[in-house]
């Protein structure tokens, strides 16, 4: 099933670049932004965990408050059409209700359910070793949110919408502000990464710089 050409796929990857100067006059339509959110929702995640929430911050006062703790998006806080924080779940352990309920929703019960949970335990403990600390568990969920991040940005580029991923912030400072505003429960979720969306201003952009393909690839043939 081919919807767009190979050249269109490559063109949109070349079009996408981290935009720091948005045109403040241009706002993304609700219809287009809903597509970007849908791309986040439809993203894959390890064992189908969907360990995320997407927090959209449009309130100007709240954006102003974030400036002192968000050095990586200071100018964007005024001009970006949309700002999204990707929140990651803090406790995606195999023995939480989440996994049990998920397996039950697949129709599993009794021994089959317990054996599947045991498989998850083994996977988390011995294979990807994420049960070592709260941090490793959070980082596992956080990794999944970066898949949604990529899908949102690439999909936005296909719609001619610009974006900039954001790690340039003091995570504690940002969390305190968002939690004080009552936007999420910090015992359940943490800030993973943010992303701004909008339309680029007329300012010229630097040429795209990337490593050469031959410096990146390792083939086992
Ligand atoms: C996870 C992540 C976090 C980033 N954080 C910031 C940021 O806080 N502020 C910023 O201006 N750019 C940020 N960037 C943008 C990168 O600097 C940019 O993607 C990189 O230099 C490559 O350029 P390009 O995206 O224009 O191709 C981030 C990129 C990624 C992937």
């Amino acid at each position: 099933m081919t919807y767009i050409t190979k050249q269109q796929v490559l063109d949109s990857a070349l079009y996408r670049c981290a935009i720091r100067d948005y045109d403040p006059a241009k706002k993304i339509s609700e219809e287009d932004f809903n597509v970007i959110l849908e791309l986040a929702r439809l993203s894959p995640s390890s064992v189908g965990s969907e360990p995320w929430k997407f927090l959209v911050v449009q309130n100007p006062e709240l954006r102003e408050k974030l400036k002192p703790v968000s050095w990586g998006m200071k100018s964007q806080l005024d001009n970006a059409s949309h700002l999204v924080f990707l929140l990651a779940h803090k406790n995606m352990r195999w023995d939480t209700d989440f996994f049990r309920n998920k397996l039950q929703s697949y129709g599993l019960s009794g021994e089959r359910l317990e054996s599947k949970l045991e498989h998850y335990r083994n996977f988390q403990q011995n294979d990807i070793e994420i049960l070592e600390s709260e941090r490793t568990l959070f980082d596992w969920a956080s990794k999944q949110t970066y898949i949604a991040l990529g899908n949102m940005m690439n999909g936005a580029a296909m719609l001619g919408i610009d974006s900039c991923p954001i790690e340039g912030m003091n995570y504690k400072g940002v969390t305190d502000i968002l939690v004080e505003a009552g936007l999420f429960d910090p015992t359940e979720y943490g800030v993973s990464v943010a992303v701004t969306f909008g339309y680029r201003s007329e300012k010229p952009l630097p040429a795209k710089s990337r490593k050469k393909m031959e410096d990146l690839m390792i083939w086992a043939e």
Side-chain angles (χ1 to χ4, degrees), residues 65-201:
K65 270 193 195 169
L66 289 167
K67 279 184 188 168
V69 286
S70 320
W71 53 267
M73 59 171 161
K74 239 180 203 154
S75 60
Q76 302 169 42
L77 282 166
D78 286 327
N79 297 339
S81 169
H82 288 71
L83 162 63
V84 184
F85 285 93
L86 288 83
L87 307 179
H89 204 284
K90 284 190 167 170
N91 185 11
M92 292 307 298
R93 270 181 67 104
W94 63 278
D95 55 357
T96 53
D97 281 349
F98 170 81
F99 283 103
R100 189 168 284 278
N101 293 342
K102 187 170 144 64
L103 293 176
Q104 277 167 349
S105 78
Y106 293 160
L108 260 62
S109 60
E111 234 172 73
R112 282 183 63 218
L113 188 146
E114 296 310 321
S115 119
K116 191 79 188 166
L117 281 178
E118 175 56 19
H119 172 70
Y120 285 153
R121 185 197 63 73
N122 195 44
F123 168 59
Q124 291 194 335
Q125 185 175 311
N126 302 322
D127 295 335
I128 49 171
E129 299 180 24
I130 55 165
L131 297 185
E132 282 165 18
S133 70
E134 285 178 4
R135 180 74 204 208
T136 50
L137 203 55
F138 173 73
D139 284 347
W140 182 59
S142 179
K143 280 201 275 187
Q144 318 304 322
T145 69
Y146 279 67
I147 301 170
L149 172 72
N151 286 342
M152 292 167 96
M153 294 193 300
N154 288 327
M158 288 181 206
L159 298 171
I161 295 171
D162 291 302
S163 62
C164 185
I166 306 291
E167 278 181 344
M169 55 191 159
N170 180 278
Y171 276 69
K172 183 179 177 324
V174 166
T175 303
D176 287 349
I177 290 166
L178 298 176
V179 168
E180 195 190 293
L183 292 166
F184 67 91
D185 175 357
T187 62
E188 218 183 347
Y189 284 92
V191 173
S192 172
V193 65
V195 55
T196 58
F197 293 99
Y199 292 96
R200 63 188 69 183
S201 70

Side-chain angles (χ1 to χ4, degrees), residues 201-212:
S201 70
E202 297 298 314
K203 286 194 191 145
L205 293 165
K208 215 174 202 26
S209 135
R210 286 293 189 272
K211 292 178 182 170
K212 293 195 191 96

